[in-house]
Amino acid sequence: SNNKVAYFYDMDVSRFHYGPGHPMKPHRLALTHTLVLHYGLHNKMQMFKPYRATSHDMCRFHSEDYINFLQRITPMNLAGFTKNLKLFNVGDDCPVFPGLYDFCSMYTGASLQAATMLNNKKSDIAINWSGGLHHAKKYEASGFCYVNDIVIAILELLKYHPRVLYLDIDVHHGDGVQEAFYLTDRVMTVSFHKYGNYFFPGTGDMYEIGAESGRYYSLNVPLKDGINDQAYQQLLKPIMKAVMQSYQPTCIVMQCGADSLGCDRLGCFNLTIDGHGECVKFMKEFGVPMMVLGGGGYTVRNVARCWTHETSIIVGQEINDELPYNEYFEYFGPDYTLRPDTSRGIENQNTKQYLDQLRQMCLESLKMITHAPSVQMHEVPPDLLSFDNYESLSELDVRERQEDVDQRIEPDNEFYDGEKDNDKESDVSI
Amino acid sequence: FMFPSPTDHHPSPASTTEDQEFELTADAMVHDFDDEATMEEEEEDGDGDDEELDDLAKERDIPLEDLIAMYYGKQENKDVSETEKVKNVLTCDLDQSWRINLGLLHYLTKHEAHIYITYQVEDGSSSDSREQLPKTNENKDSEELKRKLRSNATLLSPTHAESPDEDGDYVPPAPEDWRKDPRVGDEFQVNMIPRCDNQGPDYNIDSDLLVWDPIKINPTKVESYLKEISDISTTGGLPNGCHLRDNEDALFLLSQCNNDTDEAIRQFRWKPRPLSSELQTWSEEECRLFEHGLSLYGKDFHNIHHNKVRTKSIGEIVKFYYIWKKSEHYDKFNAKTRLGKKKDTLHPGVTDYMERLLDETEHSIS
């Protein structure tokens, strides 16, 4: 692999603490970074101590009131802000901890800089494991996220890129990013996530497809508990291949939340580190400039393993399953390996019929994109995309299954036929 | 036929008149109540639902095919295969508890199937703030659906939660309805989508730091450089172990010196810096204060900093904690504080206290 990879890490970002009992642990970033260094992966990429985002940068998406509040709030002056705490949803899930604003500034700065590096073509793939806080909204914090570094980075990318694809494989729906770009076709958001049974955040059913100019440019793949590698790939690969073909993004932003792994403290999927990494590998092989971000992930040792493994995939360096000795070695016992089986525990509640139906719906919905008049299909800088390249690369993985899919689809087509026209206008309103 | 839009499913609680009819006891809120419990609650209300509820209860035992025929019967002649499809959709999703995906539910409404299965809300006191338990209920027609969901919404509405409860002392938390619809408006979307005209970044691009660029230097040269740095810095200090450590600070120094290893080593000798600049040394006293703080405040590092270890920043304390946690100090600390703790972290999973006591005695002897 001869991709130019840029990697962003600020030593200080792992030294924040959300508070006693909170599942989000920035320390996972120190574990990840330590493994990356000890595996020698830095010898395959440029490492940057990232820029720190200013309030001005944050206000490119967020409201000034909200950012102003984040700048001023500390655990010491909470009492004076009770009204604002409620207004901005800061409290339980999103606690005020010492250095909160600096924390946001670090992970957001890294994503923003990653965007600039991609824009200037200084790198092909840019990694920021501290970013990917996909739940943050314009006016409020949500789900452990305060500032939406993804939205801010995509806004930067849009200065150079006519179409940016956002893919989210966190176990939670990428609601903040979807919401921010719900009305535009310049950004297509695709999210694979657990949906139902009160699972956070409660958005992301397959009928959320975008609105106005953005209609059909939000794609949601709601899943049930316990999905395993095989089932996940059988959805992700054909769907993402179709997305790449119909949307033809010039840049990809991928949120790699590691809470979709099995054995996650908050998640309920059953992916292995290999299965999770396979998604990154698959997307990388399209050969489109890509930003790779972190996100959720609450079983700290597995998060570090997962993102280290994915770093190795991105730089194209095979690494030993036996972990190198490092200062956090004890965290990885008793096996001290990179890819222990994380798939234990939960039964896969996604039936074959459900998955087939879901894939069919997504592929149907993607067909609408080709016919959408507002998408600027010809505005593709020629050096960015080479479609032959990714046709051949993904061929082996997908084509066979695609045939399977086509066969299975046939009866379903009948089922949809009479409805198709209906679907457009009198569909359940959103 | 107009299908109810999702927003219709969630009528504003303030506009309803039946809000007071359906009350839930604190007990029911705390415990994992199921369909039956809800039905009992409603029977107590005695507003003539009994028959319907009985029907619903019976329907639990009716075979799926018959059920579909019951509710889907009108179209039976028109399209038998469609009924078959609905059945497929249902069976694929319908396990023990009439659980059905809401997306498919929408789909069913589109087909005018009048089977409605919906989740009901229970209190969000579960320890995991991101996931709560499901509750299922069955509804016969959209009229009833609205009523049920309304009562459901009542539970959730803050106004109701604030009103005096039967028990008075338990005010259930008021989680929002878990299912949310996308929001559209100025408060939600980005203000402006940038034009694609290759304008530069808004921020000062020079403020980032290139720490390390492997392309510009030969790897074996780096290795010998790192070894030399490591040799210099270990004289006098603690040994770093036999393996060669990758030292980010040394790499950064090298890249600052334009990848000139001799220059970097000269600078390093002239002004030695701690190898692992991350972890400054902690005195015995600081360590003792930290442990005391931890026993007092738990993992509230803010308080530990302010009241115990003023000499270290919160960030340094957090970093120290994660190293300390896997050290012998932690084991000792744990052993000391164990008696006061209910949870034994040294022996996870041990519930037999007799065995544990014996274990401990054995340990203290050896």
Side-chain angles (χ1 to χ4, degrees), chain A residues 406-416, chain B residues 85:
Chain A
D406 290 343
Q407 277 175 3
R408 271 183 247 124
I409 282 167
E410 256 178 46
D412 291 336
N413 277 342
E414 271 173 44
F415 194 37
Y416 277 87
Chain B
K85 286 282 156 48

Side-chain angles (χ1 to χ4, degrees), chain A residues 242-263:
Chain A
V243 166
M244 293 301 289
Q245 279 170 342
S246 46
Y247 188 59
Q248 303 190 11
T250 58
C251 188
I252 300 171
V253 176
M254 182 166 181
Q255 198 266 20
C256 302
D259 44 8
S260 40
L261 291 174
C263 300

Side-chain angles (χ1 to χ4, degrees), chain A residues 369-383:
Chain A
I369 279 182
T370 328
H371 309 297
S374 55
V375 72
Q376 304 134 308
M377 274 306 171
H378 302 292
E379 211 178 309
V380 186
D383 53 328

Side-chain angles (χ1 to χ4, degrees), chain A residues 11 33 37 45-47 49 51 93 113 116 138 143 159 172 179 186 198 202 205 328 331 415 429, chain B residues 5 107 120-121 129-130 178-179 183 186 189 191 198 203 207-209 211-214 246 248 322:
Chain A
M11 297 276 195
H33 183 63
L37 286 186
M45 58 197 184
Q46 289 185 310
M47 274 197 317
K49 183 179 163 65
Y51 163 80
D93 257 9
Q113 198 193 335
T116 307
K138 193 171 182 176
K159 291 177 181 174
H172 301 97
E179 184 170 285
R186 294 279 309 280
Y198 293 87
D205 73 32
Y328 297 115
Y331 281 82
F415 194 37
S429 68
Chain B
S5 74
Y107 186 79
Q120 273 224 328
V121 176
S129 55
R130 283 196 174 200
W178 74 269
R179 194 184 168 280
R183 307 181 297 185
D186 288 345
Q189 275 74 46
N191 291 331
N198 298 11
Y203 67 95
S207 58
D208 56 75
L209 281 177
V211 177
W212 171 241
D213 189 348
D246 275 318
E248 226 175 319
Y322 283 108

Side-chain angles (χ1 to χ4, degrees), chain A residues 11-12 14-17 98, chain B residues 278-280 282 301-302 305 312-322:
Chain A
M11 297 276 195
D12 293 327
S14 64
R15 298 183 191 172
F16 295 95
H17 196 271
Chain B
E278 289 187 70
L279 193 61
Q280 278 95 18
W282 280 54
F301 298 111
H302 176 240
H305 167 72
K312 296 283 186 234
S313 73
I314 297 173
E316 284 168 331
I317 296 172
V318 170
K319 164 98 182 162
F320 180 76
Y321 165 76
Y322 283 108

Side-chain angles (χ1 to χ4, degrees), chain B residues 3 7 30 72 115 147 181 195 211 227 240 274 346 363:
Chain B
F3 302 110
T7 39
V30 173
Y72 208 70
I115 300 174
R147 198 191 59 73
D181 292 314
R195 269 182 309 154
V211 177
K227 187 156 189 325
N240 272 311
L346 269 187
H363 275 284

Side-chain angles (χ1 to χ4, degrees), chain A residues 369-424:
Chain A
I369 279 182
T370 328
H371 309 297
S374 55
V375 72
Q376 304 134 308
M377 274 306 171
H378 302 292
E379 211 178 309
V380 186
D383 53 328
L384 288 177
L385 271 181
S386 100
F387 268 85
D388 322 60
N389 190 19
Y390 76 68
E391 275 284 328
S392 59
L393 279 169
S394 48
E395 191 169 48
L396 287 173
D397 289 316
V398 175
R399 189 147 296 167
E400 270 180 14
R401 276 192 201 119
Q402 188 62 41
E403 279 164 15
D404 283 7
V405 174
D406 290 343
Q407 277 175 3
R408 271 183 247 124
I409 282 167
E410 256 178 46
D412 291 336
N413 277 342
E414 271 173 44
F415 194 37
Y416 277 87
D417 260 347
E419 290 297 309
K420 262 190 182 161
D421 292 338
N422 264 355
D423 277 346
K424 279 185 208 158

